[in-house]
Amino acid sequence: MSISSDVRVADSSARRTVSLAPAEANSNGLLFRRHVKPPVSHAELEHSRFLEGEFWRGIPAYSEIDRETFLDYSWQARHSLTTTSRLRHAVGERVSPAFLDDVELGFHQAPMAMRLSPYIVSLIDWDDPYNCPLRIQFLPVARRLMTDHPRTHLDSLNEQEDAPVPGLIHRYFDKALFLPISTCPVYCRFCTRSYAVGSDTDEVKKLSFRVNPDRWQQAFAYIESRPELEDIVISGGDAYNLRADQLEEIGLTLLAIPNVRRIRIATKGLAIMPQKILSDQAWLDAVTTVDQYARKHQKDMVIHTHFNHPREITWITQQALAILHQRGITVRNQAVLQRGVNDTAETMTQLVRRLSYINVHPYYVYVCDMVRGIEDLRTSLATAIAIEKHVRGYTAGFNTPTFVCDLPGGGGKRCVHSYEYYNRETGIAVYVAPSVKPGPFLYFDPLHSLSETTRTRWADEQEQRLMIDEAVQMASAGHRS
Ligand code: SF4
């Protein structure tokens, strides 16, 4: 029996006339050409092994918590930490008081408030919290904060300018972003919408999009009045925080609008509290109902989630994603590239492979937005380009993320490679977005990635203008670098 052009069963009927390289039998009696691919080591299959067991018991506050309690989403929600004093109490003597003081100072300067589920607290490496990729995403430490690039903004994507009604962003021709809620099961330091999401901080008074059915009706009416709108993203905030009946109402109302063909439910919840999929039957059923309604009407519903590091994926995540997969629900991932979190080819490749393993499509990797207060998290565009080169080719194209830059000022997402001009010395990249808005649009590398001389130039307003004018002129003249 022929299995492929270069494989034969070693029985007497096998034809041996094809000119193959020297072959040897393996334990199943199959003959393979030798050395087409060298054997892989156990370590190279690390992506398929997940954190097992009751890992949370290493945290003093959870040492007595049994499996059933830890898998209960309502226990996770009720015990999420929102203040540094509660964090101190939870981690106890596992962590030095000096580190926790540093966190407290960090929050005084942060645009985002604190919210951490016990699940995430349990996954943080408290033996090395300064360098832990999960801690870096959610807990600012004053000692590591950096001066913002002068071109950062609170609303860096200029979303408010593209909002025809409060909480609805219509930027792309056929797609709109609906923000029905402004809370999340976690607060990420790098949030694009730090101008609106979560509680007020010392730094930012939020423009809040609270749950408000009257406001939702305005958004539905606008969507219905625009026949070109076929694709609606339900974000926030985070759809995980909508009640089951609210999610179902929003999903079914949108799908019943004749022009709407696709909806996407955006939630980071799968990375932060996979327990909800295992134990909140009403919410899971609401998502399933919306998905089935979409299919019945030849429309589409997808969950977009947000894992940034392979360590965020555990046996609990694997079980949650298996349930969604069994129900036929498609899940895609949108990661954010962050310094010290996932800015190496090894980590990003591992993330992509682990996501693929649990049937999550690694759809996008975003260059970190130019929002205030997170300069230490941003990477240069060159870093994104270099990592993409290594990730591409590791696996199938449909499981390979596109690395994108969401253009400051509202030009939408562009593949990082598609810049018109990129000066690695000044850190200025120029893009155009002809189908979205007249440009040009500029992305600026973080100051820490630039030379001392260039950093001095960015401190001077006149020099800033010179560098920007030069970049725009070079782009207009057709220079790539
Ligand atoms: S979950 Fe999303 S919307 Fe919420 S804070 Fe994180 S990035 Fe922002």
Side-chain angles (χ1 to χ4, degrees):
M1 179 181 69
S2 171
I3 295 174
S4 72
S5 63
D6 56 355
V7 179
R8 298 283 187 273
V9 174
D11 66 15
S12 58
S13 64
R15 287 173 292 155
R16 298 179 190 282
T17 52
V18 182
S19 56
L20 295 173
E24 60 184 22
N26 74 358
S27 58
N28 297 323
L30 296 175
L31 291 179
F32 295 104
R33 288 165 65 185
R34 299 172 67 187
H35 306 310
V36 173
K37 280 280 184 195
V40 297
S41 67
H42 189 67
E44 286 175 276
L45 300 176
E46 178 61 27
H47 71 285
S48 62
R49 290 184 285 274
F50 299 83
L51 183 59
E52 293 289 348
E54 300 186 351
F55 51 84
W56 57 89
R57 290 193 187 256
I59 303 298
Y62 317 139
S63 61
E64 301 299 320
I65 300 301
D66 61 26
R67 185 174 288 232
E68 190 184 346
T69 305
F70 198 77
L71 293 186
D72 176 2
Y73 83 97
S74 62
W75 182 87
Q76 291 282 333
R78 281 199 314 279
H79 290 82
S80 290
L81 306 178
T82 53
T83 64
T84 45
S85 59
R86 287 194 183 153
L87 176 63
R88 276 180 206 275
H89 176 72
V91 296
E93 292 178 358
R94 279 285 310 271
V95 187
S96 78
F99 173 79
L100 293 168
D101 290 346
D102 208 0
V103 170
E104 194 155 346
L105 279 175
F107 271 112
H108 285 305
Q109 302 168 55
M112 294 300 290
M114 183 200 293
R115 188 165 191 89
L116 285 179
S117 62
Y119 175 72
I120 284 297
V121 173
S122 306
L123 292 178
I124 290 176
D125 178 4
W126 294 105
D127 294 328
D128 186 13
Y130 275 106
N131 297 311
C132 172
L134 275 73
R135 188 289 298 166
I136 292 171
Q137 296 178 62
F138 308 117
L139 298 173
V141 286
R143 209 195 297 176
R144 299 268 172 105
L145 295 178
M146 295 177 173
T147 307
D148 282 331
H149 191 287
R151 299 286 155 159
T152 53
H153 297 279
L154 210 49
D155 177 10
S156 74
L157 304 182
N158 219 3
E159 292 188 330
Q160 287 314 292
E161 192 170 277
D162 289 329
V165 299
L168 187 81
I169 320 296
H170 186 184
R171 168 167 300 149
Y172 298 91
F173 179 77
D174 73 348
K175 175 190 133 186
L177 174 67
F178 176 39
L179 310 175
I181 188 168
S182 58
T183 61
C184 306
V186 70
Y187 292 127
C188 315
R189 292 183 53 211
F190 50 86
C191 184
T192 301
R193 227 154 277 129
S194 56
Y195 68 89
V197 168
S199 324
D200 291 347
T201 67
D202 290 355
E203 280 292 302
V204 182
K205 173 126 182 56
K206 311 274 171 160
L207 174 69
S208 180
F209 300 118
R210 291 181 202 287
V211 167
N212 178 340
D214 291 340
R215 180 171 67 78
W216 296 356
Q217 291 305 326
Q218 283 182 52
F220 299 149
Y222 176 83
I223 292 166
E224 194 159 11
S225 76
R226 300 298 300 239
E228 77 274 31
L229 277 179
E230 296 185 355
D231 186 354
I232 310 296
V233 180
I234 304 163
S235 185
D238 193 305
Y240 235 48
N241 279 20
L242 291 167
R243 290 196 321 256
D245 62 307
Q246 293 170 333
L247 183 67
E248 191 170 315
E249 180 197 333
I250 291 171
L252 296 183
T253 304
L254 287 171
L255 287 167
I257 296 174
N259 47 291
V260 173
R261 304 293 306 158
R262 302 171 289 281
I263 64 170
R264 295 182 253 167
I265 296 175
T267 174
K268 190 172 171 64
L270 300 178
I272 296 304
M273 204 186 288
Q275 290 87 346
K276 191 172 178 79
I277 303 301
L278 303 179
S279 57
D280 188 348
Q281 196 62 39
W283 198 87
L284 178 64
D285 287 345
V287 176
T288 309
T289 299
V290 175
D291 185 65
Q292 288 174 347
Y293 180 94
R295 286 172 197 276
K296 192 171 166 200
H297 293 82
Q298 295 82 49
K299 298 191 178 188
D300 196 26
M301 186 216 83
V302 172
I303 290 181
H304 275 200
T305 193
H306 182 180
F307 291 90
N308 288 324
H309 192 278
R311 196 191 290 179
E312 293 162 5
I313 303 172
T314 68
W315 67 270
I316 305 175
T317 331
Q318 192 180 21
Q319 285 193 3
L321 267 297
I323 290 173
L324 292 174
H325 192 62
Q326 280 160 6
R327 291 188 174 215
I329 295 171
T330 303
V331 182
R332 302 188 190 121
N333 192 64
Q334 305 192 143
V336 176
L337 183 65
Q338 294 161 80
R339 182 168 160 268
V341 174
N342 52 16
D343 62 336
T344 65
E346 293 72 26
T347 303
M348 193 57 84
T349 303
Q350 191 76 337
L351 174 64
V352 165
R353 294 176 71 200
R354 193 164 278 181
L355 287 168
S356 308
Y357 198 86
I358 57 171
N359 296 309
V360 175
H361 300 168
Y363 172 43
Y364 271 154
V365 174
Y366 287 83
V367 175
C368 208
D369 286 333
M370 294 200 59
V371 289
R372 278 195 213 142
I374 58 156
E375 194 71 355
D376 59 306
L377 286 180
R378 294 205 300 123
T379 66
S380 66
L381 196 66
T383 303
I385 291 168
I387 293 175
E388 195 271 353
K389 193 181 290 182
H390 285 274
V391 172
R392 186 162 294 281
Y394 222 100
T395 186
F398 66 86
N399 268 338
T400 303
T402 303
F403 282 59
V404 294
C405 180
D406 210 345
L407 297 178
K413 298 162 200 61
R414 309 300 295 186
C415 172
V416 288
H417 297 91
S418 68
Y419 54 80
E420 304 297 307
Y421 173 78
Y422 179 29
N423 183 332
R424 294 176 189 228
E425 175 62 31
T426 59
I428 303 176
V430 182
Y431 288 88
V432 294
S435 300
V436 184
K437 278 183 187 177
F441 297 92
L442 309 180
Y443 185 83
F444 303 91
D445 285 344
L447 295 174
H448 61 72
S449 69
L450 306 175
S451 68
E452 182 68 44
T453 313
T454 310
R455 284 204 293 268
T456 309
R457 293 186 74 192
W458 278 112
D460 180 319
E461 275 193 31
Q462 201 176 351
E463 284 292 314
Q464 289 175 23
R465 276 196 296 278
L466 283 174
M467 288 188 283
I468 289 170
D469 288 349
E470 190 236 1
V472 173
Q473 280 165 16
M474 293 293 273
S476 314
H479 296 282
R480 282 273 290 173
S481 58

